[in-house]
Amino acid sequence: MQRFIRERKTSYLRNVIISVLIFLLIFAGFGCGLTAMNKKMDQEEMQTLQNAITRSVTTCYTLEGSYPQSLGYLKKHYGLHYDKNKYFVDYQPLGANIMPDITIIRKEADHR
């Protein structure tokens, strides 16, 4: 009966290498998932800022009859807050009755 059953010897080194490779694959997949999630969160945060600025501008126009002349006015009178270290907001008023041109640029992280 024993002649059909082969005793298989496995190498300890082979088992360690396979375990390490599986761990690295799982770790790489986890890292890719975190990167994708972070990118999605950044996009949503930028969209939220765009919506907040647009809502503040529209509210100002509705209540006062003209668009605000500066971003500072929105901050002071309409409670607009955002992270100046993370975003650059270019606010260009075009006239009292013309929606201002608003550009939001995400600043690059400081790599020191």
Side-chain angles (χ1 to χ4, degrees):
M1 288 265 195
Q2 290 268 348
R3 66 181 175 174
F4 295 112
I5 300 174
R6 274 175 69 181
E7 201 171 302
R8 192 173 205 179
K9 292 185 178 179
T10 57
S11 168
Y12 176 74
L13 182 60
R14 187 179 124 223
N15 289 342
V16 170
I17 290 173
I18 290 172
S19 297
V20 168
L21 287 175
I22 290 172
F23 173 76
L24 289 176
L25 285 172
I26 292 171
F27 189 72
F30 184 70
C32 289
L34 283 178
T35 301
M37 188 173 64
N38 193 20
K39 186 176 181 181
K40 178 71 173 167
M41 286 175 55
D42 284 344
Q43 290 172 348
E44 289 178 3
E45 188 176 349
M46 192 171 220
Q47 184 61 44
T48 301
L49 177 58
Q50 178 72 42
N51 292 342
I53 293 173
T54 302
R55 185 173 41 249
S56 295
V57 166
T58 306
T59 301
C60 179
Y61 183 76
T62 302
L63 295 175
E64 299 180 19
S66 63
Y67 288 107
Q69 290 300 310
S70 70
L71 198 59
Y73 187 83
L74 290 175
K75 291 176 186 176
K76 183 176 180 182
H77 297 281
Y78 291 91
L80 178 66
H81 296 284
Y82 65 93
D83 188 355
K84 294 178 188 176
N85 297 322
K86 195 170 186 179
Y87 296 102
F88 170 74
V89 179
D90 182 40
Y91 182 88
Q92 297 295 322
L94 303 174
N97 293 327
I98 300 173
M99 180 78 162
D101 183 35
I102 302 165
T103 304
I104 301 171
I105 300 171
R106 188 180 194 299
K107 294 181 180 179
E108 292 298 318
D110 210 4
H111 299 289
R112 288 184 196 182

